[in-house]
Amino acid sequence: MTAPAEPNVPGVPLASARGRWILLTTVLGSSMALLDSTVVNVALPRIGEDLDADLAVLQWTSNAYMLTLAGLILVGGALGDRFGRRRIFVLGVVWFAVGSLLCGIAPNAGVLVAARALQGVGGALLTPGSLALIQGSIRTEDRGRAVGLWSGLGGVGAAVGPFLGGWLVDGPGWRWVFLLNVPVAALCVPVALRHVPESRDPHAHGRFDVAGAVLGAGSLGLVTYALIEASTGSPTVIVAAVGGVLLGIAFVLVERRRADPMVPPDIFASRQFTAVNLVTLCVYAAFGGFFFLVVLQLQVVAGYSALGAGAALLPTTVLMLLLSARSGELGERIGPRIPLTVGPLLCAAGMLLTLRVGPSASYTTDVLPAMVVLGMGMVTLVAPLTATVLSSVDPGRAGLASGINNAAARAAGLLAVAALPLLAGMGPESYRSASQFDAAFGPAMLWCAGALLVGAAVAWATVRSPAPGGCHPQCHTHCAVVSPPLEPREGRG
């Protein structure tokens, strides 16, 4: 049985030339969005210096992108399911490239933040489509490995971002962190148009949930503003916080009552899908906060150059590159419960080890062990998490499921970047002082590790692996269509 592609279009073998082109295209597209989530962090100190910006502006430089990405990624998935995943994916790549160009030529902080928000719109269009294209194009028996490769190579794109960003910042300048996306998009678009078959959800119909999109994005935006500006003590902070909560409640009510909601409540009938998204919230809140702060710690406190700070994170890149595909295959054999429990625990240990990174930190004894342990946790976690999200829903809703999970991940990272400086006691100018930033970094890492521990506990208590002869009793979807069976047999599902 093949994925929900166009009628009479068979699944493409991953080992074929076309299968490799499909994987390359989706990895290039998703890597642009993932890369931008991490590569910019290395450039933040230089951006702040060049544009004379305080910590709040640096937070917005990261969060303006994450806000529109998280708020609109569900719309991107729905658009792809209805109008064609390849079509929306290509549109997103082009949009992202235009936003990147505007970031690269921004004359001041206000224009940069606005251009980052525009970038996020492009990311919202291309991110869910990249994974849904694999589900809709690659043949059933190859999808587990394809998802593992996509996760691993995409994770490499995100992890290599700090290194590449550091090289650009120390070399031609921070603006090239954004301009680099333009030639990548120029390669991705023609390959997608030539080699990737179109696919869509034949059951998608009705009007788009504009009200849901506006309420969801508005809620995230107001809560983010309240968290970032909380230290100012302005009355508008309270107004924004209350407004964000009220819009969030309205979003839930609208989604429950609409005939064609952006987030159909019935998709959460799969307890596996609900459980994995709860784990995603915890894990990516920790990741978002960690990668925002650790490169600042390395530069501001440990005295690393931008390139040195980026290079310090390379062990996670190498581990993801070497082991993610095998991690995806292992997850298929033993089920997701153990990887989704052990992975966050390893990541938490790695983040706690970064508490040793101070003014006199040694790379080999202080930084490297933390990065290796963190990398092993990411290897254990990322591919099984992605595969489990898709295996717990009907394949015709691949774009929607990918959108919901990506929205959860981005929203978690967005709120973590907004909240962690407040929780850790960072002031507006703290990133300019090594002693002030170092004093706040420790509490921030404890918060990140705590989120990961909660994620591991949720995974152990709620995620269930399929039984040897079929799906777990709580699965209400056709998971056999999405992920290959543990062994060839009839009657799974």
Side-chain angles (χ1 to χ4, degrees):
M1 191 170 184
T2 59
E6 298 264 318
N8 302 320
V9 177
V12 178
L14 179 60
S16 67
R18 194 179 195 189
R20 290 192 292 268
W21 280 116
I22 292 171
L23 183 63
L24 172 65
T25 306
T26 56
V27 167
L28 281 176
S30 62
S31 291
M32 283 199 308
L34 288 169
L35 188 79
D36 226 65
S37 301
T38 58
V39 69
V40 176
N41 291 342
V42 175
L44 289 177
R46 197 67 58 84
I47 291 173
E49 178 184 342
D50 191 29
L51 302 180
D52 192 24
D54 61 13
L55 182 61
V57 172
L58 301 190
Q59 287 174 278
W60 278 117
T61 300
S62 175
N63 275 353
Y65 172 78
M66 299 297 290
L67 176 60
T68 50
L69 177 63
L72 299 176
I73 201 167
L74 293 172
V75 176
L79 286 170
D81 284 345
R82 181 174 304 182
F83 294 116
R85 291 159 186 158
R86 184 186 66 179
R87 178 182 301 174
I88 300 302
F89 173 80
V90 169
L91 175 62
V93 171
V94 173
W95 194 311
F96 192 89
V98 172
S100 298
L101 178 62
L102 293 176
C103 288
I105 62 176
N108 54 55
V111 174
L112 176 61
V113 170
R116 287 283 285 161
L118 184 64
Q119 259 192 319
V121 177
L125 295 174
L126 72 89
T127 300
S130 64
L131 187 54
L133 284 175
I134 291 178
Q135 288 298 121
S137 304
I138 300 298
R139 67 181 182 181
T140 304
E141 55 267 37
D142 290 340
R143 281 186 210 141
R145 181 167 177 79
V147 169
L149 288 169
W150 178 88
S151 299
L153 294 173
V156 166
V160 80
F163 173 76
L164 179 61
W167 179 78
L168 291 170
V169 170
D170 286 342
W174 64 264
R175 296 181 184 276
W176 284 95
V177 166
F178 302 105
L179 296 176
L180 184 66
N181 290 321
V182 177
V184 176
L187 172 63
C188 184
V189 169
V191 172
L193 292 175
R194 179 170 182 178
H195 296 285
V196 179
E198 186 60 282
S199 64
R200 56 175 55 85
D201 180 5
H203 304 295
H205 59 82
R207 296 181 299 173
F208 284 107
D209 184 8
V210 176
V214 171
L215 290 171
S219 176
L220 279 175
L222 289 175
V223 171
T224 300
Y225 173 84
L227 290 171
I228 291 178
E229 302 296 333
S231 61
T232 65
S234 171
T236 58
V237 171
I238 298 176
V239 174
V242 173
V245 172
L246 292 177
L247 287 183
I249 294 172
F251 171 78
V252 173
L253 294 176
V254 166
E255 298 305 282
R256 289 173 62 90
R257 294 176 182 177
R258 279 186 65 94
D260 50 354
M262 183 173 66
V263 184
D266 65 334
I267 197 171
F268 294 98
S270 167
R271 297 182 187 178
Q272 187 87 319
F273 182 75
T274 303
V276 174
N277 277 284
L278 290 174
V279 175
T280 297
L281 286 170
C282 297
V283 165
Y284 279 89
F287 286 169
F290 175 79
F291 284 110
F292 177 75
L293 294 176
V294 72
V295 289
L296 290 171
Q297 177 77 359
L298 288 169
Q299 293 179 73
V300 174
V301 178
Y304 284 38
S305 65
L307 177 59
L313 305 183
L314 274 179
T316 59
T317 304
V318 175
L319 290 170
M320 292 288 287
L321 178 63
L322 294 177
L323 301 176
S324 283
R326 289 185 175 88
S327 174
E329 294 171 344
L330 177 64
E332 287 182 1
R333 291 199 301 270
I334 68 174
R337 189 186 188 196
I338 293 177
L340 297 189
T341 301
V342 174
L345 294 176
L346 287 172
C347 290
M351 291 183 187
L352 290 176
L353 286 174
T354 61
L355 295 176
R356 297 167 55 87
V357 179
S360 58
S362 163
Y363 179 74
T364 54
T365 60
D366 299 322
V367 180
L368 181 60
M371 294 302 107
V372 170
V373 175
L374 176 65
M376 289 304 300
M378 294 175 68
V379 165
T380 305
L381 169 69
V382 173
L385 180 68
T386 303
T388 307
V389 166
L390 294 174
S391 69
S392 58
V393 299
D394 186 281
R397 306 176 98 177
L400 175 63
S402 177
I404 290 174
N405 188 250
N406 271 283
R410 308 314 161 201
L414 166 74
L415 295 175
V417 170
L420 267 181
L422 176 65
L423 294 172
M426 293 182 183
E429 302 296 325
S430 60
Y431 82 96
R432 303 183 191 273
S433 167
S435 59
Q436 291 181 28
F437 195 87
D438 190 36
F441 180 76
M445 291 302 98
L446 294 178
W447 280 103
C448 290
L452 287 163
L453 293 178
V454 172
V458 170
W460 182 256
T462 62
V463 173
R464 292 293 176 264
S465 299
C471 300
H472 56 82
Q474 297 171 342
C475 180
H476 303 292
T477 57
H478 308 291
C479 67
V481 178
V482 181
S483 58
L486 301 178
E487 56 185 79
R489 65 177 65 200
E490 300 294 329
R492 284 176 53 86

